[in-house]
Amino acid sequence: MDVSRQQSEPSPERGPRARTRKLMLETATRLMQSGFTPSVSEVAEAAEVSRATAYRYFPSQAALVHAVVDEALGPILDWRSDAPDALTRIADLLATAMPRIDEFEATFKAALKLSLDQWAQRQAGTLGNEPQFMRGHRVELLRQATAPLEGKVSKESREQLAQALSLVFGLEVLIVLKDIWGLSAERAQSVAEWAAAALVEAAVREAQTAAP
Amino acid sequence: MDVSRQQSEPSPERGPRARTRKLMLETATRLMQSGFTPSVSEVAEAAEVSRATAYRYFPSQAALVHAVVDEALGPILDWRSDAPDALTRIADLLATAMPRIDEFEATFKAALKLSLDQWAQRQAGTLGNEPQFMRGHRVELLRQATAPLEGKVSKESREQLAQALSLVFGLEVLIVLKDIWGLSAERAQSVAEWAAAALVEAAVREAQTAAP
DNA sequence: AAAATTATGAGATGTGCGTATCGTAAAGAT
DNA sequence: ATCTTTACGATACGCACATCTCATAATTTT
């Protein structure tokens, strides 16, 4: 029996396979958006398929979360901006991404948890070359957002700025500001926007004083 | 059998109980500092006590991690600074805390993982009033660090600054900059320090332009 | 030193997740 | 319409973590 075909082939758009997979994904997404991170068994029950079938499509909770994350990430990865200044781009990026992350908070937290698991297992030496969580989309998005600064600040400064900006943009921001400080999602985003603006302005100002 | 005495009483400094507990804690700390997050059974084996005994002292991996986190947190919670300016205090705080967090990276990541578990369970309604992880020491430390700004900037600005600073100070910084950007711990701290300084200066500058 | 208390160890038991096997039903091909 | 392929469900199994029980060893008390 050629097991390898089942998942490796880019799963046909039609037929029972696609139908069941879609059913499970929608069920999982719905459950996760309600703030709960289900096991494969629980999705199976909610979708009214047998456990065995569920495990055929998603061999682990990790695979399940991975798939839902891809759904949730869609609009964020499609983000583009041709605004002429970096400040506007950053604000726009945050306005696009942060509400989406908040909407899928449970999903992203589950993904973070899994990435921490993977990290721990790498430390222990139990290393399977599994698909990575935390794939660093932030890097590309922030390079895109800080592109208007090319020429205005040095390459090194731009890189450092992008790195600093990645600290005020993402799930971690919501964790810290909502769970520790008790802020609302809106207030958290506002703080993040203020911080992001401050960082951009600092980078620009430094470049100006260095070479006036 | 009066079970309640065992853990609730502030565990005597002497006797076999204190000895075994100390042995386990030291073993667990050593294992975790080597980058691995052991289960209770694994600590039991490493400490050469039986699983049953281990579970008497630490009824779960969570309890174990909690105890080691308290150890790791010690020097950070003791941090004080009477430097006259906020900039110096922040830099000093980062210089104290970040290397310590990096040293106990596995421990703090395990704690973060557990706090994510707790969050998920609260969402699901399975709510035991267990001891909280993520107890928000950052809030107090950063209020302390930004104290010199009292009078210079508004209370609201100071609060917002402290919130923004909490984004560039903590485990999350290391996760993002090391694991996603691939930076070294030293470089990560340097980026964090730059960002922190930028945020403080932005807050001060805003206050000056508002009321010159 | 003897008795009471407390700590420890060994093994059985339960639970949740993931895997494997097998028989049956549905879909597609000739 | 028959045959082949593919999908599905039920069940049993292994594993790892955590819990429970009870007998034994160590410590403390009198």
Side-chain angles (χ1 to χ4, degrees):
Chain A
M1 180 179 177
D2 187 0
V3 175
S4 66
R5 287 191 62 224
Q6 296 199 357
Q7 290 290 348
S8 63
E9 199 168 295
S11 59
E13 303 294 312
R14 304 197 161 286
R17 288 201 66 85
R19 209 190 68 79
T20 304
R21 188 191 154 85
K22 192 182 170 196
L23 171 63
M24 283 196 61
L25 234 180
E26 282 171 354
T27 304
T29 302
R30 183 167 44 78
L31 288 174
M32 289 194 186
Q33 266 187 303
S34 78
F36 172 59
T37 305
S39 67
V40 179
S41 299
E42 287 163 329
V43 174
E45 191 176 355
E48 293 185 311
V49 298
S50 78
R51 277 175 13 103
T53 300
Y55 275 104
R56 281 188 191 97
Y57 289 92
F58 300 99
S60 65
Q61 199 196 40
L64 198 56
V65 170
H66 200 278
V68 178
V69 164
D70 280 345
E71 296 274 304
L73 230 39
I76 296 177
L77 296 184
D78 289 343
W79 176 85
R80 292 291 183 284
S81 175
D82 51 0
D85 65 306
L87 230 44
T88 306
R89 287 197 184 187
I90 299 279
D92 186 57
L93 176 57
L94 288 187
T96 300
M98 296 297 284
R100 184 79 179 175
I101 296 175
D102 186 56
E103 191 182 351
F104 285 85
E105 184 173 8
T107 304
F108 283 110
K109 283 189 174 178
L112 174 57
K113 202 158 94 61
L114 289 169
S115 80
L116 291 172
D117 278 333
Q118 286 189 344
W119 184 88
Q121 285 175 6
R122 280 189 207 291
Q123 295 299 310
T126 313
L127 168 67
N129 270 11
E130 287 132 28
Q132 280 276 357
F133 288 89
M134 303 290 287
R135 282 153 296 175
H137 300 298
R138 262 179 276 211
V139 174
E140 197 47 48
L141 289 170
L142 287 172
R143 288 211 173 110
Q144 168 90 210
T146 56
L149 295 180
E150 190 171 0
K152 290 189 181 179
V153 309
S154 72
K155 198 176 174 194
E156 292 73 23
S157 284
R158 243 180 82 204
E159 190 78 351
Q160 176 171 266
L161 173 60
Q163 290 163 356
L165 284 172
S166 69
L167 301 179
V168 302
F169 163 55
L171 173 63
E172 297 83 4
V173 173
L174 291 180
I175 293 179
V176 172
L177 295 183
K178 284 177 70 179
D179 298 350
I180 295 184
W181 285 88
L183 301 188
S184 68
E186 293 75 24
R187 191 81 199 99
Q189 184 175 334
S190 163
V191 171
E193 284 171 358
W194 177 82
L199 294 173
V200 173
E201 283 170 8
V204 171
R205 192 181 308 273
E206 278 178 20
Q208 287 172 343
T209 57
Chain B
M1 180 177 175
D2 186 1
V3 174
S4 67
R5 286 191 61 225
Q6 297 199 357
Q7 290 289 347
S8 64
E9 199 168 297
S11 58
E13 304 292 313
R14 305 196 161 285
R17 286 200 68 85
R19 208 192 67 79
T20 305
R21 188 190 154 85
K22 192 181 172 198
L23 171 63
M24 284 196 60
L25 235 180
E26 282 171 356
T27 305
T29 303
R30 183 167 44 78
L31 289 175
M32 289 195 185
Q33 265 187 303
S34 79
F36 171 59
T37 304
S39 66
V40 179
S41 298
E42 286 163 329
V43 174
E45 192 175 355
E48 294 185 310
V49 297
S50 78
R51 281 192 306 285
T53 301
Y55 275 105
R56 282 191 190 94
Y57 289 92
F58 301 98
S60 65
Q61 199 195 42
L64 199 55
V65 170
H66 200 278
V68 178
V69 164
D70 281 344
E71 296 275 304
L73 231 38
I76 297 178
L77 297 184
D78 288 342
W79 176 85
R80 292 290 183 281
S81 174
D82 51 0
D85 66 306
L87 230 44
T88 306
R89 287 197 184 186
I90 300 279
D92 186 57
L93 175 58
L94 288 186
T96 300
M98 295 298 284
R100 184 79 178 174
I101 296 174
D102 187 56
E103 191 182 352
F104 285 86
E105 184 173 8
T107 304
F108 284 110
K109 283 189 173 179
L112 174 58
K113 201 159 94 62
L114 290 169
S115 82
L116 291 172
D117 279 333
Q118 285 189 345
W119 184 88
Q121 285 175 4
R122 280 190 205 291
Q123 295 297 309
T126 312
L127 169 67
N129 270 13
E130 289 133 27
Q132 280 275 358
F133 288 90
M134 305 289 288
R135 283 153 295 174
H137 300 298
R138 261 179 277 212
V139 174
E140 197 47 48
L141 289 170
L142 287 172
R143 288 211 173 110
Q144 168 90 213
T146 56
L149 295 181
E150 191 170 359
K152 289 190 180 178
V153 309
S154 71
K155 198 177 174 195
E156 291 74 24
S157 285
R158 243 179 85 204
E159 189 78 352
Q160 176 171 268
L161 173 60
Q163 290 163 355
L165 284 172
S166 69
L167 301 178
V168 302
F169 163 55
L171 173 63
E172 296 83 4
V173 172
L174 291 180
I175 292 179
V176 172
L177 295 182
K178 285 177 69 177
D179 298 351
I180 296 184
W181 286 88
L183 302 188
S184 67
E186 293 75 23
R187 191 81 199 98
Q189 183 175 336
S190 163
V191 171
E193 284 171 357
W194 177 83
L199 294 173
V200 173
E201 282 170 9
V204 171
R205 192 181 309 273
E206 277 178 20
Q208 288 172 342
T209 57

